[in-house]
Amino acid sequence: MQQFLDVAPGIRLWTEQRGAADAPPLLLVMGAQATGVGWPDELVDALAEHHRVIRYDHRDTGRSTWSYDDRPYRIADLADDVIAVLDGLGIERAHLVGMSLGGMLAQMVLADHPDRWIGATLIGTMALSTTPYTAPDGTVVPVGELPGIAPEVLEMWARPVEDHGPEAEVARRLEHWRVLAGGQLPFDADHYAALERRVIAHTGHHRVGTAHGRADDSGMLRTAELARNEVPTLVIAAPAEPVFPPPHPQHLAQCIGGAHVVEIPGMGHALPPAVQGPLAEAILAHTGAGAGAGS
């Protein structure tokens, strides 16, 4: 079921729900400039066997309002949208799954609205905390000395984007996914090409959004609040992750009270078919303890 929600003056978000209406809700929050369609249908359907799964388009993505150029907003407003989606759908409490920027938004709403969450899963993201990382050998590593984004990713992001039509744009995005996938698993070009064609069809155009990279990201740290967290939290570790490489997942789990880590072999900063089954199993194992705990 698809539905549009008015979450702020002049801002309307596209949402989709799958699964039984009376199943425990599970909200999926995608990364920067990524639509809700970026959550693969196969993964969504696997989760929907046990949950009322909600995915949505951020502002300036997909079918939601594209407003940044006329009315700039903050990353914090995207976090407010997470709560607004729950409110708009009449959901009191839900499980939460966030990837990349979505994982940062998830941390913000975990810290600011802990009463709204049954549990949380964080994928491909970094800690919104100044707490240093303690390595297995006891070495203490300041946050600023943790590994950064892989050079090949930065190089890709620095390239100017030119419009040569939708098929050329699909090809450009395919190469982007090749870098993000991390190289440990065979690259499934057909999967990513089909994904991007679905995204373009869903959005209605192939223009590249840049709003989230330009938005004010001040005030995102939640060091003390995350340390006090009591919401059961799963951190997914991806060994081939090129954006937030290990030990970022382990650091994230150290920063969030009660968090634990599960590794998905071969995973990078992407959701190809090879990782969808293990990822669904990990998420469902985590939500099992809270299933039926509220809606």
Side-chain angles (χ1 to χ4, degrees), residues 263-288:
E263 180 172 303
I264 305 297
M267 186 173 176
H269 198 78
L271 301 172
V275 309
Q276 291 170 21
L279 180 59
E281 290 178 9
I283 294 171
L284 292 172
H286 180 61
T287 65

Side-chain angles (χ1 to χ4, degrees), residues 52-293:
R52 173 188 176 189
V53 178
I54 304 103
R55 58 180 174 175
Y56 71 98
D57 291 342
H58 294 294
R59 306 179 189 201
D60 288 271
T61 75
R63 298 180 184 175
S64 292
T65 304
W66 290 55
S67 63
Y68 187 85
D69 288 338
D70 295 325
R71 287 167 292 172
Y73 49 80
R74 304 172 63 221
I75 296 297
D77 293 317
L78 298 180
D80 290 341
D81 288 348
V82 176
I83 300 299
V85 168
L86 290 189
D87 291 343
L89 297 176
I91 297 172
E92 187 72 24
R93 297 177 68 225
H95 294 278
L96 175 64
V97 180
M99 180 166 184
S100 197
L101 175 64
M104 298 180 198
L105 302 179
Q107 292 175 68
M108 294 171 73
V109 297
L110 270 180
D112 298 347
H113 305 278
D115 58 315
R116 303 301 298 269
W117 309 111
I118 306 169
T121 300
L122 308 176
I123 307 167
T125 193
M126 64 177 289
L128 299 182
S129 173
T130 59
T131 301
Y133 168 62
T134 302
D137 65 1
T139 302
V140 176
V141 182
V143 172
E145 295 179 14
L146 290 173
I149 301 171
E152 57 268 28
V153 175
L154 293 174
E155 191 276 331
M156 178 72 74
W157 288 351
R159 294 180 192 173
V161 177
E162 299 177 348
D163 186 352
H164 296 291
E167 283 306 305
E169 177 58 21
V170 169
R172 186 194 69 81
R173 297 184 190 184
L174 193 62
E175 288 309 302
H176 186 212
W177 281 119
R178 192 181 301 275
V179 172
L180 291 180
Q184 288 192 16
L185 296 171
F187 185 71
D188 189 340
D190 290 342
H191 162 76
Y192 292 106
L195 167 65
E196 290 303 336
R197 290 191 178 99
R198 285 198 304 274
V199 167
I200 289 171
H202 170 75
T203 303
H205 61 78
H206 63 278
R207 296 194 305 273
V208 177
T210 61
H212 300 166
R214 293 182 284 148
D216 178 0
D217 62 358
S218 62
M220 292 176 64
L221 285 176
R222 298 290 191 277
T223 303
E225 296 90 342
L226 291 174
R228 295 194 298 267
N229 174 65
E230 295 182 355
V231 176
T233 301
L234 167 65
V235 177
I236 298 296
E241 169 69 61
V243 180
F244 301 111
H248 277 282
Q250 292 75 20
H251 175 239
L252 184 56
Q254 290 179 3
C255 293
I256 299 177
H260 71 284
V261 177
V262 171
E263 180 172 303
I264 305 297
M267 186 173 176
H269 198 78
L271 301 172
V275 309
Q276 291 170 21
L279 180 59
E281 290 178 9
I283 294 171
L284 292 172
H286 180 61
T287 65

